[in-house]
Amino acid sequence: MTATEGLLVPPGHGRVVHTPAQRVTFKVTGTHSRTSSTFEVEVPPGFDVGAHVHTRSEELFYVLEGELDVLAFEPRIRTPDNWQKWESSSGTKVVRATPGTVIVVPPGCPHAFANPTQTPARMFFQSSPPPDHERYFEELLEILGSGGPLDHRAIEELRQRYDIEQLTPLKHR
């Protein structure tokens, strides 16, 4: 790609990484952008990414379909279990994000999303700088696709390598 050429990714195109826990379509990677990686993410019923925080990464989420419970604030107390009950010192609580909702997460801000409904949700997800989240998704989906119970230790080690401090565990049905 030269400086005078853009990238066009038609609907339904992009490299897909899929497991029963999540489906991620890579739309724009570090190969095409210096500023961010862009994905379309299908979030199945029962998936909970777990509350976490990045020291370097900034993220943007845009809900396309379905509903997600979303956290994007520092809670009064970081309890190690149910982030859905967290509240900030200013009274901010977890919200139910519906199509059209945008969530921007600066570095250092605890955040999470979960699909508590019975229908899949779909979101547009952007992370900067690239390519950390590209590599993270590839490795995470490899762990999640291995079958059997979740290997929380492998997920924790993976997240530490990619600037992710896990505050509550990842869960899926």
Side-chain angles (χ1 to χ4, degrees), residues 82-144:
N82 190 353
W83 60 264
Q84 284 93 340
K85 296 195 185 303
W86 289 3
E87 185 176 328
S88 76
S89 23
S90 66
T92 302
K93 296 180 180 182
V94 169
V95 298
R96 177 67 52 95
T98 56
T101 303
V102 174
I103 303 99
V104 177
V105 182
C109 178
H111 57 288
F113 62 85
N115 183 347
T117 73
Q118 297 303 309
T119 12
R122 208 167 49 90
M123 68 178 170
F124 172 89
F125 169 59
Q126 205 165 43
S127 176
S128 67
D132 282 1
H133 248 79
E134 298 163 35
R135 293 179 183 139
Y136 167 73
F137 272 139
E138 289 168 340
E139 292 182 44
L140 174 64
L141 293 179
E142 191 174 299
I143 292 169
L144 296 176

Side-chain angles (χ1 to χ4, degrees), residues 52-59 107-108 111 128-129 132-133 136 157-166:
H52 59 281
V53 65
H54 310 278
T55 57
R56 295 183 311 274
S57 296
E58 181 173 17
E59 297 178 333
H111 57 288
S128 67
D132 282 1
H133 248 79
Y136 167 73
E157 289 170 4
L158 170 68
R159 288 183 163 183
Q160 286 174 355
R161 285 196 312 273
Y162 289 103
D163 182 39
I164 303 170
E165 178 190 350
Q166 195 66 35

